[in-house]
Amino acid sequence: RRASPAAVLKHEILEAWSDGDVAAARADVTYTMRDGIRLTLPAVTRVRVHDGRASEYMIFMDPGPVVAASHR
């Protein structure tokens, strides 16, 4: 198992909304890499709840910059 390239993750919720059984949030996610470099990436999370449990959970973001930074 490979260790995570990020030492710390911080999520800042910028906007959140819901409609019926679906909720979504837009956030800035800041990755602090093990070498101290910080990357802030936009993300959207969408969840559908059925019978009190998440029945769908989707995260939309481009992890490319974190992957590239982990290979430096």
Side-chain angles (χ1 to χ4, degrees), residues 6 11 34 51 55 64:
H11 295 75
R34 296 193 182 280
D51 290 333
S55 61

Side-chain angles (χ1 to χ4, degrees), residues 5-6 8-14 25-33 37-45 59-70 72:
V8 178
L9 286 175
K10 177 186 172 199
H11 295 75
E12 179 183 356
I13 305 299
L14 304 172
R26 184 172 66 90
D28 281 340
V29 183
T30 300
Y31 291 79
T32 302
M33 307 304 284
I37 292 174
R38 285 189 180 154
L39 303 165
T40 299
L41 305 175
V44 173
T45 300
I59 300 171
F60 302 92
M61 78 174 258
D62 176 8
V66 173
V67 173
S70 70
R72 290 183 197 168

Side-chain angles (χ1 to χ4, degrees), residues 49-54:
V49 177
H50 179 73
D51 290 333
R53 301 180 83 175

